[in-house]
Amino acid sequence: MSLTFNLLNRTDAGGRRAELVLPHRTVQTPVFMPVGTAGTVKAVPQDVLESLGAEIILGNTYHLYLRPGHEAINRMGGLHKFISWPRAMLTDSGGFQVFSLSALRKVTDEGVRFRSHLDGSSHFFTPEHSMDVQIALGADIAMAFDECTEYPAERGRAEESLRLTMAWARRSLDHFRAHQHEVPWLRPNQENGVPQVPLLGPGNGNPTQSLFGIVQGGMFRDLRRQSAERLVEMDFDGYAIGGLSVGEPRDLTMEMIAEVLPLLPADKPRYVMGVGYPDEIEQYARMGVDMMDCVLPTRAARHGLLFTSEGRLNIKGKKYAEDQGPPDPACSCTVCRRYSRAYLRHLMHAGEALSATLNSIHNLAYYLGIMERVRASLHAQAE
Amino acid sequence: MSLTFNLLNRTDAGGRRAELVLPHRTVQTPVFMPVGTAGTVKAVPQDVLESLGAEIILGNTYHLYLRPGHEAINRMGGLHKFISWPRAMLTDSGGFQVFSLSALRKVTDEGVRFRSHLDGSSHFFTPEHSMDVQIALGADIAMAFDECTEYPAERGRAEESLRLTMAWARRSLDHFRAHQHEVPWLRPNQENGVPQVPLLGPGNGNPTQSLFGIVQGGMFRDLRRQSAERLVEMDFDGYAIGGLSVGEPRDLTMEMIAEVLPLLPADKPRYVMGVGYPDEIEQYARMGVDMMDCVLPTRAARHGLLFTSEGRLNIKGKKYAEDQGPPDPACSCTVCRRYSRAYLRHLMHAGEALSATLNSIHNLAYYLGIMERVRASLHAQAE
């Protein structure tokens, strides 16, 4: 069986407090998932992620396929084992990066031909191939291969893109269902003949990978509805809303999410991809989004932007040169307990590696802290 | 009072097991000191250094003087507080970096004029100024301002360089003795009026900074002897041997160390600067060297070179692409317990920040582990 989604309670506003039971971890939702593009959440060691309370992280299929290669990772027992991350993982389909990073893309109904941004080599991705790669990586959750509609997009373009995404969703699901038990952790271990099956409570059966469909449709409410309804008919293990946070105004993002959420089955997880700022993730969680991911906390950290209870703080600022206060006085993360703004500013200006690490730890603590508070609040509201 | 050096025992070969009581830490010697050039041991967070058992780290006066500036650090309570490192620290005099990093140096008897490698600005360092900067930074141990004689150097050049170093040693000491109580941690705290005085056991008095003289003399045994004897007459708190590991053959390094050690007082610490490879630090410790520092473990780590019980390992090698073994099978550091060679290789090839962090943690664990074993062995031999 795939995932189990135990809804614990619901608020009038639609917010949901739940447990998402995955092969490698029972994840408390709503959850924010740090992004570990190339098998590492940039600059943050795995034990620190664990201490921060991260229960599920992302891996990017496009990056891992190109380097070190999904077959190598598969031979080594899968992505969890390769990067030494025992908790839950999700891989995207590679679609978004093929469109945003690679060169010379050529899209046909069959799939996408593209050149690697690393060495210019030519590759062809189809829905079936994306599934094979994601099964080889063996995350707890895989994503259907889709085309992320750009913003702005005319209606005709959004319709055509959606047509492709829906056809690819069907093909993704068919191929996935036929092969989802081939994940590396169900394979007997070479040394002792025992599968690397993760420990689950009784009654959870033989855990396998899950596949989520992705709702697209640009910024057109009827296309979004159509997309959601068709995916629900196909019966995925969970549903994502993609193609948001691609440059559109915040109101529009929220409008699209609000349009789609009621159409998705209440007993399956809902994931909004690639969002967002701290206030956004809180807002969407309160509307009923169960899962979110974003590179923002770690990417902003590497540029010296800290998210704090007092707002955004650009640590490069001259005014912090002798500021001995913690980055965020209301934060109890290991960085805020130990280091000053002046020191973080110095590390940034000196180009020291520790800068990215400490800034990222704080920002992730801030994001994960928001979700922890939202979960407590959803719990309290429902009682 | 300055440092206390409690000799615990001695071996026939001259090796010494001792405790070096410094204001911020009682350090077990022989000790290896990780280098924290710009107020950070590159890529390694302070709490990890503590877990690794680092008891004393270095700061580079030249770098900290240029950025963020010793006066700013002093206003913030000194280097320990600025970087949040509660254990012992040592600062070098800035001399070595002035000669190796800066541009357009002009040396006179008075001091050195140089241009910053960061922005080309002009600066003038004298022995007195180096002392002022080091007192402002407030490490537990400061170093006399010296000229590091290059290798190879003719006798005439080595004599002239030594003349300068000896004159500067006298001036360093005189200025230091007049101002050594001005360290930031003896200043009453602005908030509560209490000095940041570190806790010491009873009988240790009012702890102040210590100053070490530096033996130079190129590769000439008689100049080295002369240098050592004159410094000992001046009565420093400890003695360093500088100008080694500058390109000379290993035998010559050892010859110079062997020549100098017997001339130094038995009841004061002896520090060989800027060495070395794992086998070197063990060898010198067994000869009676109490303190060593080197950028090698961290710099090599950033280039993918790991020191292991099986020898040096270049983690970039293709043969490690699917090697699931730990970097060093005999090592119990957090990196060797959790990550594989294949993963470390992947991080290096992908240019991920985590690469420098994990490689550095292992190499430092390896270096600190050597010293721990040497201390145990010196202890056992003496019984």
Side-chain angles (χ1 to χ4, degrees), chain A residues 225-348:
Chain A
R225 275 199 308 276
Q226 195 191 114
S227 177
E229 284 160 0
R230 289 176 58 192
L231 289 175
V232 172
E233 277 167 31
M234 294 183 209
D235 195 20
F236 280 88
D237 302 315
Y239 299 89
I241 310 180
L244 294 180
S245 221
V246 288
E248 79 282 6
R250 179 87 62 91
D251 286 354
L252 206 47
T253 318
M254 214 168 68
E255 195 184 313
M256 293 301 127
I257 295 173
E259 188 71 33
V260 169
L261 286 181
L263 304 175
L264 300 177
D267 62 346
K268 292 196 173 167
R270 304 156 173 186
Y271 163 28
V272 173
M273 306 178 78
V275 293
Y277 282 95
D279 55 327
E280 276 185 286
I281 63 168
E282 172 159 2
Q283 191 171 29
Y284 304 151
R286 291 189 186 280
M287 289 168 66
V289 173
D290 307 304
M291 304 162 70
M292 285 170 278
D293 79 285
C294 197
V295 294
L296 190 58
T298 43
R299 182 175 292 166
R302 297 196 298 281
H303 291 97
L305 185 68
L306 302 180
F307 296 104
T308 79
S309 59
E310 299 173 346
R312 297 181 207 169
L313 185 157
N314 187 334
I315 200 66
K316 285 179 288 191
K318 188 152 182 55
K319 64 179 164 184
Y320 304 121
E322 298 190 23
D323 186 337
Q324 296 191 69
D328 182 352
C331 178
S332 62
C333 82
T334 54
V335 174
C336 287
R337 281 204 308 263
R338 181 157 197 162
Y339 303 101
S340 67
R341 292 173 175 182
Y343 183 59
L344 295 189
R345 177 179 187 270
H346 166 68
L347 292 177
M348 184 92 204

Side-chain angles (χ1 to χ4, degrees), chain A residues 38-39 42 75 322 343 352, chain B residues 39 42 75 322 343 346 352:
Chain A
K42 288 190 189 299
R75 281 191 296 270
E322 298 190 23
Y343 183 59
E352 286 288 344
Chain B
K42 286 189 190 300
R75 281 191 296 270
E322 299 189 23
Y343 183 59
H346 166 67
E352 287 288 345

Side-chain angles (χ1 to χ4, degrees), chain A residues 137-178:
Chain A
L137 295 173
D140 299 81
I141 299 173
M143 300 300 297
F145 191 64
D146 66 331
E147 189 190 53
C148 177
T149 313
E150 67 282 3
Y151 177 82
E154 298 289 329
R155 182 169 180 98
R157 161 68 194 139
E159 279 174 347
E160 172 54 23
S161 175
L162 181 58
R163 184 191 64 79
L164 205 59
T165 287
M166 291 300 103
W168 287 357
R170 179 79 261 166
R171 284 166 56 192
S172 293
L173 187 60
D174 290 346
H175 195 80
F176 183 82
R177 290 287 180 237

Side-chain angles (χ1 to χ4, degrees), chain A residues 38-40 42 46 50 67-68 72 75-76 82-84 86 322 324 338-339 342-343 346-347 349-350 352 354, chain B residues 38-40 42 46 50 67-68 72 75-76 82-84 86 322 324 338-339 342-343 346-347 349-350 352 354:
Chain A
T40 156
K42 288 190 189 299
Q46 274 75 319
E50 288 173 352
R67 184 171 56 198
R75 281 191 296 270
M76 289 187 275
F82 176 59
I83 74 167
S84 187
E322 298 190 23
Q324 296 191 69
R338 181 157 197 162
Y339 303 101
Y343 183 59
H346 166 68
L347 292 177
H349 278 272
E352 286 288 344
L354 194 58
Chain B
T40 156
K42 286 189 190 300
Q46 275 75 320
E50 287 173 352
R67 184 173 56 198
R75 281 191 296 270
M76 289 187 276
F82 177 58
I83 74 167
S84 187
E322 299 189 23
Q324 296 191 69
R338 180 156 199 164
Y339 303 101
Y343 183 59
H346 166 67
L347 292 177
H349 278 271
E352 287 288 345
L354 194 58

Side-chain angles (χ1 to χ4, degrees), chain B residues 290-358:
Chain B
D290 307 303
M291 304 162 70
M292 284 170 278
D293 78 286
C294 198
V295 294
L296 190 57
T298 44
R299 182 175 291 169
R302 295 195 299 281
H303 291 97
L305 184 69
L306 301 179
F307 296 104
T308 79
S309 59
E310 298 172 348
R312 297 183 207 171
L313 186 157
N314 187 335
I315 200 66
K316 285 179 288 191
K318 186 150 185 57
K319 64 180 163 181
Y320 304 121
E322 299 189 23
D323 186 336
Q324 296 191 69
D328 182 352
C331 178
S332 63
C333 82
T334 55
V335 174
C336 288
R337 281 204 309 262
R338 180 156 199 164
Y339 303 101
S340 67
R341 292 174 174 182
Y343 183 59
L344 295 189
R345 177 180 188 270
H346 166 67
L347 292 177
M348 184 91 203
H349 278 271
E352 287 288 345
L354 194 58
S355 171
T357 299
L358 299 184

